Amino acid sequence: MPKSLSERDQLVNWHPYTQMQTAPAPIGIVRGEGALLFAEDGKEYIDAVSSWWVNIHGHAHPHIAERVAQQLRTLEHVIFAGFTHEPAVELSERLLRLLPANQAKVFYTDNGSTAVEVALKMALQYWHNQGIPKTKIIALEGSYHGDTFGAMSVSERSVFTRPFQQYLFDVEFLPVPVPGKEAEALQRLEEIAGSGEIAAFIFEPLVLGTAGMVMYEPKVLDQILALCHKHQIITIADEVMTGFGRTGKRFAMDYLTQQPDLMCFSKGLTGGTMALGVTTCALPVFNAFLSQDKTQALFHGHSYTANPIACAAALASLDLVEHPDFIRNLERISAAHLAFAGKLDGQPGIKACRQTGTILAVEFEVGETSYFHNLRDQLYHLALDHGVLLRPLGNIIYVLPPYCITAAQLEQVYAVIEQMRLLVVEQF
Ligand SMILES: *Cc1c(COP(=O)(O)O)cnc(C)c1O
């Protein structure tokens, strides 16, 4: 008997966010199509989390595949220092047309964490280059900006970051301005900003993903950003999760009137086809690096910076983002989520339901909550047993589907959440 993918995997691979001693065997996936994943044992799964929030158009999209194949035959890679190429130029041109009007330049990296690292370095060096001693960064409590050291530093300190605590730089954390907490957050910002030492404020606009899909309103974010601008604090919108339709508009920042100085993108950027990160900035940030002095340049880069195949995938994904079906799908999913949340609200076992655009989060009522509570694993496996991939964050289950998910598939996902609710009611 030849070994299965899953068996061979266990001999050689180390998986992310996985306790390798106790985790069940990984599921071998052999094919994807639309919202579906097909496993080697013949089972199929609805990918209701877009494979960690990246596959916004579903799997193996033919348009993206075609564009990537073409690019592979033309130019697979070229160094991006001293050289450039059509896919990177076109992608920057098209991205900048879609982003808030002040965004002027695009810097390429490989993933969300590095997009954040670059934004932090741009913000800190912006002040350094001008000889202004602003070195502190503000972030939101509970936020997640990635797993590299700088990104960890501006993220919530947790059991995940504890082994590295002494190597993380100091950050001021603001309470998330969820409804009812707006005044508190604004007041705290006023206090911190008064010190004059703050270089930058980094935030996940409108939805804090890893925190458990914690949501807050555009109005208070506009007030926060206005305060930052008043105090000359560089603002960094981390749209790695919210970008490309997640919140019901193309970008979460499209709900605001204020514009950020820097923006980070990755997850949805290539439709989940290739690893690519982007940091964009407003012109004053870029200009602060211009000098006859070479040491004023941004000394950051990766071997695969602006890889042409990744850029081609992003261009193909943008074709789909700019197609009229795109907004129609966002509206369809938002409406379905809202209707389902309405049905759940007030039911036994439900503590809260939240929805922003295509993101639905359901918080179950349980005694004490922890990421490691075994309820999380029970919910995860209950969903898989019903052919749905959902990844609970502790007692919170969220749906973040590819925009091509069908109405019937969505109903199947909701039915699983209803099963979860019954399980919670039984146990708590
Ligand atoms: C996932 C995520 C990141 C990190 O992106 P990676 O590509 O996983 O490194 C950063 N910020 C936010 C808001 C994210 O959701």
Side-chain angles (χ1 to χ4, degrees), residues 207-239:
V207 185
L208 279 74
T210 306
M213 304 299 154
V214 174
M215 299 175 187
Y216 62 102
E217 293 295 315
K219 184 167 166 242
V220 66
L221 183 53
D222 260 331
Q223 291 169 325
I224 288 175
L225 296 183
L227 249 181
C228 287
H229 294 150
K230 187 180 108 186
H231 288 280
Q232 300 207 318
I233 295 170
I234 299 269
T235 54
I236 306 171
D238 177 354
E239 290 236 24

Side-chain angles (χ1 to χ4, degrees), residues 68-86:
V68 166
Q70 251 178 39
Q71 187 59 45
L72 265 169
R73 290 188 290 262
T74 312
L75 176 69
E76 81 304 334
H77 189 63
V78 62
I79 181 173
F80 206 60
F83 290 81
T84 191
H85 52 82
E86 175 67 28

Side-chain angles (χ1 to χ4, degrees), residues 163-235:
F164 319 109
Q165 184 62 34
Q166 62 175 307
Y167 301 105
L168 305 182
F169 56 76
D170 274 345
V171 167
E172 296 281 356
F173 287 99
L174 274 192
V176 184
V178 292
K181 288 256 183 93
E182 291 98 335
E184 189 187 325
L186 284 164
Q187 194 196 332
R188 181 88 188 101
L189 177 59
E190 275 283 17
E191 287 164 16
I192 303 170
S195 75
E197 295 174 349
I198 308 298
F201 168 56
I202 184 165
F203 58 98
E204 292 165 84
L206 308 188
V207 185
L208 279 74
T210 306
M213 304 299 154
V214 174
M215 299 175 187
Y216 62 102
E217 293 295 315
K219 184 167 166 242
V220 66
L221 183 53
D222 260 331
Q223 291 169 325
I224 288 175
L225 296 183
L227 249 181
C228 287
H229 294 150
K230 187 180 108 186
H231 288 280
Q232 300 207 318
I233 295 170
I234 299 269
T235 54

Side-chain angles (χ1 to χ4, degrees), residues 52-53 110-114 116 144-147 204 207 209-210 238-242 266-267:
W52 254 344
W53 320 349
D110 302 333
N111 56 65
S113 302
T114 53
V116 166
Y144 176 77
H145 295 291
D147 284 347
E204 292 165 84
V207 185
T210 306
D238 177 354
E239 290 236 24
V240 169
M241 187 275 278
T242 53
S266 183
K267 290 190 168 112

